Amino acid sequence: VALETQANETLKLLPGDNMAQSYLRYAAHKDKTLLAHDRANSRPTAGSYLNLSLSYYETKQYEPSIEACQQALKLKPDYAAAYNNMCSAYSQLGKYNEAEAACLEALKIDPAFQLATNNLMDVRHQRSLL
């Protein structure tokens, strides 16, 4: 809240200040992640953990994103979207073997899952560049 307040005050004085706008966006994502965390803890469903995973991913917190997916999978072991999110987070960490395994699990559950197919191709491409 303090960061958001300070950024808004700065923007009143300097409406085009890029740094203040960046801080404001960061504060909004942080608030969104805290809200998603509270929701997952108060109503632990596979969907609430998937939303938490997305919030962590958007703020480049890839390890917590993976952990939230793992929580979702404890509640719904056949959750292709959770495996897909894990694939993306592992890929961002450069853990391409883990990313590929997660994508393959997503596609085993839902062979028509286009996003997982695309992510798998991207992971394989990234690994080939090493």
Side-chain angles (χ1 to χ4, degrees):
V1 174
L3 179 61
E4 184 177 359
T5 302
Q6 190 66 35
N8 281 324
E9 290 298 318
T10 301
L11 289 171
K12 285 179 187 175
L13 298 171
L14 304 165
D17 187 82
N18 289 332
M19 187 64 76
Q21 291 171 349
S22 175
Y23 286 142
L24 198 55
R25 284 191 299 276
Y26 174 78
H29 280 297
K30 186 175 178 185
D31 289 345
K32 181 180 172 187
T33 301
L34 289 173
L35 181 61
H37 185 269
D38 289 345
R39 284 185 181 152
N41 283 334
S42 66
R43 288 175 282 164
T45 65
S48 66
Y49 281 113
L50 186 69
N51 288 335
L52 178 58
S53 168
L54 289 168
S55 291
Y56 281 133
Y57 187 89
E58 289 172 352
T59 57
K60 300 181 182 191
Q61 297 178 71
Y62 303 118
E63 292 290 345
S65 177
I66 293 164
E67 291 168 13
C69 288
Q70 291 168 337
Q71 291 294 82
L73 289 166
K74 286 180 185 177
L75 298 170
K76 185 177 178 184
D78 63 343
Y79 204 4
Y83 281 113
N84 183 65
N85 283 13
M86 286 176 67
C87 170
S88 295
Y90 277 128
S91 180
Q92 290 298 319
L93 293 170
K95 296 181 176 183
Y96 300 117
N97 291 337
E98 293 90 337
E100 181 175 10
C103 267
L104 290 173
E105 285 299 318
L107 290 168
K108 190 185 307 180
I109 295 164
D110 182 0
F113 193 174
Q114 190 61 50
L115 184 57
T117 299
N118 295 347
N119 285 337
L120 180 60
M121 290 187 325
D122 184 58
V123 164
R124 288 177 173 168
H125 174 74
Q126 292 301 320
R127 190 173 46 209
S128 76
L129 298 176
L130 298 177

